[in-house]
């Protein structure tokens, strides 16, 4: 089959690779019908996430049709069913899964000892996202083996929904939704969202659905800002305005109650001193993260407010903020 494979920073190729096969009774094989590129994939493309190996298959936002099922998953899945596959691989039985903390499943990361040394504690196994998270081949391919398939799937109802209507359930929408939900948004709250990429757009809309008084979106890409504005947000272009000053203007000098980092480790912040400092250190491989957004959120957030971090960080910052769906609340 064909798959998009990582061969080094900025070197992604469409390769011919072996077809996946059932390796465990709980496996299933999915024929991919749609997939997406995540902002997290950019960190792999740019070479900032450790643990990638030559030939790794990319991708963790995908869906498709079940074409084969292991004997232990036949009660949950049938050949021909359409499913969305989430980023996180879950056993559904460990203590964390029973608590609903699926992004830190205790069983699915087959390299959890290495991940524990890197991050302090392991994440769940993740599709297409470094050997620190299990080294599982991803979904930017014709077929994918899904471990723990009886739990790691979302069935698509047989009511005519298109791939485009349900694909985002694999990562983008639940990440944005969780980022907003864990803020405990109140009707009097101003919610500021740094980053208007796909996750940021979902976060903005989630915050509005949850009843925020005001949602403020921060980015520098005109098309993203226009989309955020169309979704109901007040926008700040950080190339044209000072973010902290503008946020204070919009909140009567008190700052937003809830601040959400939907950017992560490759934040851009114009020519601010800390942004230049982080960029130089990252270029010299002296750090993996540019935490400008976290600093800015801490500075401007109203006292007793909440910081929510769905953005991906690695290395030292990543020890405090689990990858992607394992967001932090401060």
């Amino acid at each position: 089959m064909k798959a998009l494979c990582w061969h080094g920073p900025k070197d992604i190729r469409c390769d011919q690779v072996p077809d996946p096969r059932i390796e465990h009774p709980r496996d299933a094989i999915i024929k991919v019908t749609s997939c997406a590129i995540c902002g997290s994939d950019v960190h792999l493309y740019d070479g900032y996430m450790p643990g990638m190996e030559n030939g790794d298959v990319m991708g963790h936002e995908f869906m498709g049709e079940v074409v084969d099922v292991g004997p232990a998953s036949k009660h949950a899945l049938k050949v021909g069913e359409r499913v969305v596959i989430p980023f996180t691989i879950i056993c559904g039985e460990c203590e964390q899964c029973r608590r609903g903390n699926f992004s830190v499943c205790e069983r699915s990361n087959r390299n959890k000892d290495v991940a524990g040394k890197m991050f302090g504690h392991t994440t769940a196994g993740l599709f297409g996202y470094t050997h620190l998270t299990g080294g599982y081949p991803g979904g930017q391919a014709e077929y994918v083996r899904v471990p723990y398939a009886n739990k790691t799937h979302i069935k698509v109802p047989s009511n005519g929904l298109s791939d485009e209507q349900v694909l985002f359930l694999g990562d983008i929408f639940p990440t944005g939704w969780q980022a907003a939900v864990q803020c405990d948004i109140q009707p009097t709250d101003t919610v500021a969202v740094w980053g208007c990429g796909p996750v940021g757009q979902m976060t903005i809309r989630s915050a509005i659905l949850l009843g925020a008084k005001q949602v403020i979106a921060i980015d520098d890409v005109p098309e993203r800002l226009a989309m955020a504005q169309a979704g109901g947000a007040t926008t700040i272009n950080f190339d044209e305005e000072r973010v902290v000053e503008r946020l204070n203007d919009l909140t009567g000098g008190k700052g937003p109650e809830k601040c959400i980092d939907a950017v992560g480790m490759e934040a851009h912040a114009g020519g601010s001193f800390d942004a230049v400092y982080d960029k130089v250190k990252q270029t010299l491989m002296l750090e993996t993260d540019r935490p400008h957004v976290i600093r800015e959120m801490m500075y401007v957030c109203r006292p007793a407010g909440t910081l929510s971090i769905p953005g991906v960080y690695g290395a030292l910052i990543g020890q405090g903020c689990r990858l992607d769906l394992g967001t932090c609340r401060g």
Side-chain angles (χ1 to χ4, degrees), residues 20-85:
R21 56 183 179 81
I22 298 291
E23 298 177 15
H24 185 277
R26 292 181 69 176
D27 286 353
I29 305 297
I30 307 299
K31 179 181 179 181
V32 176
T33 57
S34 292
C35 64
I37 297 173
C38 181
S40 302
D41 291 329
V42 177
H43 307 320
L44 304 181
Y45 177 77
D46 286 337
Y48 291 130
M49 288 300 297
M52 291 296 288
E53 296 183 6
N54 187 50
D56 283 348
V57 178
M58 300 278 289
H60 57 260
E61 298 185 5
F62 61 98
M63 63 174 293
E65 178 184 333
V66 179
V67 295
D68 197 5
V69 183
S73 289
K74 288 185 180 294
H75 67 286
L77 288 172
K78 294 180 175 58
V79 171
E81 288 184 315
R82 293 173 67 218
V83 291
V84 178
I85 303 300

Side-chain angles (χ1 to χ4, degrees), residues 50-164:
M52 291 296 288
E53 296 183 6
N54 187 50
D56 283 348
V57 178
M58 300 278 289
H60 57 260
E61 298 185 5
F62 61 98
M63 63 174 293
E65 178 184 333
V66 179
V67 295
D68 197 5
V69 183
S73 289
K74 288 185 180 294
H75 67 286
L77 288 172
K78 294 180 175 58
V79 171
E81 288 184 315
R82 293 173 67 218
V83 291
V84 178
I85 303 300
F87 188 4
T88 50
I89 301 167
I90 65 170
C91 72
E93 299 163 354
C94 69
E95 180 182 355
Q96 293 287 12
C97 283
R98 292 197 304 271
R99 292 182 176 185
N101 301 326
F102 302 117
S103 67
V104 287
C105 171
E106 296 172 322
R107 297 181 181 175
S108 60
N109 186 350
R110 54 192 177 186
N111 294 332
K112 62 183 180 180
D113 291 340
V114 178
K117 291 178 182 177
M118 182 71 179
F119 297 118
H121 294 280
T122 185
T123 67
L126 304 175
F127 288 101
Y129 214 79
T130 94
H131 289 262
L132 292 174
T133 60
Y136 292 98
Q140 292 171 17
E142 293 184 272
Y143 295 90
V144 180
R145 180 179 77 91
V146 179
Y148 298 101
N150 59 322
K151 297 295 182 180
T152 305
H153 72 271
I154 304 164
K155 285 189 182 180
V156 179
S158 56
N159 58 359
L161 291 173
S162 68
D163 281 15
E164 289 76 11

Side-chain angles (χ1 to χ4, degrees), residues 65-315:
E65 178 184 333
V66 179
V67 295
D68 197 5
V69 183
S73 289
K74 288 185 180 294
H75 67 286
L77 288 172
K78 294 180 175 58
V79 171
E81 288 184 315
R82 293 173 67 218
V83 291
V84 178
I85 303 300
F87 188 4
T88 50
I89 301 167
I90 65 170
C91 72
E93 299 163 354
C94 69
E95 180 182 355
Q96 293 287 12
C97 283
R98 292 197 304 271
R99 292 182 176 185
N101 301 326
F102 302 117
S103 67
V104 287
C105 171
E106 296 172 322
R107 297 181 181 175
S108 60
N109 186 350
R110 54 192 177 186
N111 294 332
K112 62 183 180 180
D113 291 340
V114 178
K117 291 178 182 177
M118 182 71 179
F119 297 118
H121 294 280
T122 185
T123 67
L126 304 175
F127 288 101
Y129 214 79
T130 94
H131 289 262
L132 292 174
T133 60
Y136 292 98
Q140 292 171 17
E142 293 184 272
Y143 295 90
V144 180
R145 180 179 77 91
V146 179
Y148 298 101
N150 59 322
K151 297 295 182 180
T152 305
H153 72 271
I154 304 164
K155 285 189 182 180
V156 179
S158 56
N159 58 359
L161 291 173
S162 68
D163 281 15
E164 289 76 11
Q165 289 174 298
V166 296
L167 175 61
F168 292 169
L169 287 173
D171 183 5
I172 300 172
F173 176 59
T175 301
W177 177 259
Q178 180 187 347
V181 165
Q182 66 189 8
C183 284
D184 188 25
I185 292 171
Q186 302 300 310
T188 55
D189 283 345
T190 291
V191 179
V193 180
W194 277 255
C196 297
V199 169
Q201 298 293 342
M202 295 297 179
T203 303
I204 290 162
R205 285 154 179 78
S206 296
I208 290 170
L209 284 171
L210 290 166
K213 180 182 73 174
Q214 178 178 219
V215 177
I216 303 169
I218 303 156
D219 206 299
D220 71 335
V221 179
E223 293 82 1
R224 290 178 172 182
L225 291 168
M227 187 177 291
Q229 190 172 37
T234 300
T235 59
I236 298 175
N237 186 328
F238 64 73
D239 280 342
E240 300 174 358
E241 301 179 274
R242 293 184 179 275
V243 173
V244 173
E245 291 179 7
R246 182 62 175 144
L247 285 172
N248 284 328
D249 288 343
L250 290 167
T251 58
K254 294 183 177 181
E257 287 91 348
K258 309 296 165 63
C259 296
I260 302 176
D261 172 6
V263 183
M265 66 191 298
E266 291 190 69
H268 296 276
S272 67
F273 172 78
D274 73 310
V276 174
Y277 170 82
D278 287 332
K279 179 64 176 176
V280 170
K281 289 190 70 176
Q282 196 177 52
T283 300
L284 296 174
M285 300 306 290
L286 297 176
E287 69 177 11
T288 60
D289 309 297
R290 298 199 292 265
H292 170 80
V293 169
I294 294 178
R295 295 191 193 106
E296 198 161 72
M297 290 200 311
M298 290 189 293
Y299 186 84
V300 77
C301 186
R302 188 174 304 203
T306 298
L307 308 183
S308 177
I309 308 173
V312 170
Y313 289 90

